């Protein structure tokens, strides 16, 4: 799909918000889904990026952290440029059937898929709170309209260990994206308290469309340990099924 970059906004020293006009994706995108961005002929592989925001008809926004060649190349894009973007891809978060108390647990750039989710949950009438560990990038919160979403900020690991269990207490639905340690802590706490929890798993992804089988996630099934693919079975998984320490 052709996507025109209509706005580019620096959020932190390494995070930039890109708004693309791409109605084909905007009309269909669900929270937790991602797109595959074709950068230029120099880059053979597309780059997977979560849908940070979406207006439901015209535009999608991507919040991208510069970590390597591809994401740094994105910094050179100028408004008006047109890219080829594939999406929406993957299985997103499940919105509750009945409105309830929702906690969104994010760490660092893991904030990216949680904002659109927060907006959709709010629209459905859910009570939405954020638990965020910025890892030195508190300014990331400038990317979101955080007046609407009360946030508990955890500055470090000790803070997370101390405050996450308390924040999860009394919640009905918990959704998380961020470093795997944070996802696992969130998952364990929710399993212990029998609270619905979904986690978005990040994997190095070659194709994003179930061809290369490179993005596996180990899951528990009734037949024992099996492997699913983050690109098409995920990236969002039920927290109970993820075998966090199993690597293929
Ligand atoms: C489903 C999904 C959604 C994502 N959403 C976002 C998002 O919203 N915002 C964002 O900033 N990033 C997101 N990422 C990560 C992003 O895809 C990578 O940071 C990006 O592909 C790196 O490309 P690069 O060319 O800049 O880096 P490279 O030069 O390829 O690599 C630089 C560094 O990034 C790591 N890396 C490369 N690719 C990945 C990858 N697919 N996953 C994890 N680490 C990787 C490498 O190990 C290396 O340390 C997402 C990844 C997935 C799988």
């Amino acid at each position: 799909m052709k996507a025109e970059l209509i706005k580019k906004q620096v959020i932190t020293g390494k995070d930039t918000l890109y708004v693309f006009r791409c109605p084909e994706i905007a009309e269909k995108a669900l929270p937790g889904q991602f797109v595959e961005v074709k950068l230029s002929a120099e880059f053979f592989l597309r780059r997977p990026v979560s849908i940070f925001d979406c207006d439901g008809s015209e535009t999608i926004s991507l919040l991208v952290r510069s970590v390597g060649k591809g994401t740094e190349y994105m910094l050179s894009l100028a408004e008006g440029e047109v890219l080829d973007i594939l999406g929406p891809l993957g299985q997103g978060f499940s919105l509750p059937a009945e409105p309830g108390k929702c906690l969104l647990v994010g760490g660092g750039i893991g904030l990216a898929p949680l904002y659109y989710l927060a907006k959709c949950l709010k629209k459905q009438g859910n009570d939405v709170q954020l638990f965020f560990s910025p890892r030195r990038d508190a300014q990331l919160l400038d990317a979101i309209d955080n007046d609407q979403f009360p946030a508990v900020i955890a500055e470090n690991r000790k803070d997370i260990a101390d405050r996450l269990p308390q924040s999860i207490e009394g919640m009905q639905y918990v959704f998380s994206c961020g470093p795997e340690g944070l996802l696992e802590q969130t998952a364990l706490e929710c399993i212990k308290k029998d609270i619905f929890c979904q986690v978005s798993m990040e994997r190095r992804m070659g194709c994003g469309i179930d061809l290369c089988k490179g993005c596996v996630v180990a899951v528990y099934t009734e037949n024992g340990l099996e492997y699913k693919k983050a690109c098409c079975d995920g990236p969002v998984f039920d927290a109970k099924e993820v075998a966090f320490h199993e690597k293929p």
Side-chain angles (χ1 to χ4, degrees):
M1 264 71 91
K2 298 285 164 236
E4 182 193 354
L5 179 64
I6 55 172
K7 187 177 164 201
K8 190 172 142 191
Q9 182 188 349
V10 173
I11 303 293
T12 75
K14 48 190 180 190
D15 302 298
T16 306
L17 185 66
Y18 301 87
V19 183
F20 288 93
R21 180 177 294 115
C22 187
E24 293 89 343
I25 297 178
E27 281 164 9
K28 290 189 263 178
L30 300 171
Q33 289 189 299
F34 66 100
V35 293
E36 282 277 356
V37 184
K38 177 81 188 155
L39 295 169
S40 73
E42 185 197 334
F43 297 95
F44 177 67
L45 293 175
R46 291 170 180 262
R47 297 300 192 265
V49 184
S50 304
I51 293 168
F52 171 75
D53 198 6
C54 171
D55 69 0
S57 59
E58 283 287 318
T59 65
I60 56 164
S61 308
L62 310 179
L63 181 63
V64 181
R65 173 156 293 182
S66 305
V67 293
K69 275 193 182 165
T71 45
E72 269 155 26
Y73 170 85
M74 283 187 81
L75 295 173
S76 70
L77 295 173
E79 289 174 6
E81 274 189 66
V82 176
L83 294 188
D84 179 342
I85 298 186
L86 202 62
L89 300 171
Q91 309 298 324
F93 294 105
S94 310
L95 298 182
E98 295 286 326
K101 292 188 80 171
C102 303
L103 183 71
L104 276 48
V105 180
I109 191 65
L111 183 67
L114 298 180
Y115 182 49
Y116 183 37
L117 172 67
K119 285 173 71 172
C120 293
L121 289 169
K122 194 95 181 169
K123 206 165 157 187
Q124 261 198 340
N126 294 283
D127 174 28
V128 183
Q129 290 180 37
L130 182 65
F131 182 99
F132 184 56
S133 167
R135 302 171 102 207
R136 297 182 293 278
D137 297 301
Q139 277 166 288
L140 255 183
L141 281 177
D142 293 351
I144 71 172
D145 177 9
N146 59 350
D147 292 348
Q148 279 199 54
F149 307 107
V152 171
I153 306 295
E155 303 291 348
N156 49 43
R157 282 190 191 163
K158 182 175 179 311
D159 236 9
I160 296 175
D162 290 346
R163 299 168 77 186
L164 186 60
Q166 208 179 307
S167 298
I168 288 175
E169 192 72 53
M171 291 293 158
Q172 290 162 286
Y173 310 98
V174 175
F175 305 93
S176 186
C177 184
E180 226 156 288
L182 180 65
L183 298 187
E184 188 182 10
Q185 259 177 292
T186 307
L188 290 175
E189 201 56 40
C190 291
I191 292 167
K192 200 160 74 184
K193 296 188 161 88
D194 198 21
I195 295 170
F196 174 93
C197 177
Q198 288 185 319
V199 292
S200 180
M201 303 294 293
E202 196 179 298
R203 287 288 181 268
R204 294 216 67 168
M205 225 173 243
C207 69
I209 50 169
D210 196 18
L211 293 175
C212 74
K213 324 281 186 214
C215 58
V216 292
V217 173
V219 294
Y220 300 113
T221 72
E222 49 192 32
N223 305 319
L225 207 61
E226 287 183 4
Y227 292 98
K228 288 191 175 177
K229 285 152 285 172
C231 69
C232 54
D233 302 312
V236 175
F237 291 88
D238 182 332
K240 285 202 278 293
E241 72 171 335
V242 178
F244 282 99
H245 295 282
E246 297 292 339
K247 303 283 179 229

